[in-house]
Amino acid sequence: VRLVESGGGLVQSGGSLRLSCAASGLPFNTYTMNWYRQTPGAPGKERELVASIGTGGYTTNYADSVKGRFTISRDNAKNMVYLQMNSLTPEDTAVYYCNADQLTDVGGRIWYWGQGTQVTVSS
């Protein structure tokens, strides 16, 4: 299984970025897809769930801090998930991770992670 993020970079405050995640080696349309972020150098700060999208692409959820600014989407035909980020602020600076999440029939959970992509927002 591979999840490969792309699209990160340096942007000025108020700008936009679009992150992409290419998935392979898994039945993509059976996984909830998530974007998490983590601020390096912030000890004790856990990885934050930013946005989720259900298997069919119809159900989405967002962290309060990004509602109205970020949009998650997926293309099951291409095994891709996206995160459109608008009105970025320095507080959005973090490493963003793509995550595939599936509950198993026996109550377990399968998670896969990408390597992360750095997003830096300058003030």
Side-chain angles (χ1 to χ4, degrees), residues 5-53:
E5 301 98 334
S6 61
L10 175 64
V11 64
Q12 288 188 335
S13 184
S16 299
L17 283 175
R18 187 193 193 209
L19 304 184
S20 300
C21 173
S24 60
L26 76 170
F28 181 75
N29 62 359
T30 69
Y31 280 78
T32 295
M33 296 302 296
N34 307 302
W35 285 97
Y36 284 77
R37 66 187 181 186
Q38 188 167 28
T39 303
K45 190 169 183 180
E46 296 183 353
R47 203 169 279 190
E48 175 191 16
L49 178 59
V50 174
S52 295
I53 188 165

Side-chain angles (χ1 to χ4, degrees), residues 11 19-20 37 47 52 56 65 67 73 76 87 116 119-123:
V11 64
L19 304 184
S20 300
R37 66 187 181 186
R47 203 169 279 190
S52 295
S65 58
K67 278 181 182 176
S73 61
N76 284 346
S87 302
V119 171
T120 303
V121 184
S122 63
S123 57

Side-chain angles (χ1 to χ4, degrees), residues 85 108 115:
M85 306 186 295
Q115 82 288 351

Side-chain angles (χ1 to χ4, degrees), residues 58-89:
Y58 302 109
T59 303
T60 58
N61 289 286
Y62 298 92
D64 288 343
S65 58
V66 307
K67 278 181 182 176
R69 300 187 299 122
F70 290 12
T71 302
I72 188 171
S73 61
R74 67 190 294 164
D75 186 338
N76 284 346
K78 296 181 178 179
N79 287 9
M80 296 289 296
V81 62
Y82 306 97
L83 186 67
Q84 177 66 43
M85 306 186 295
N86 299 327
S87 302
L88 286 161
T89 73

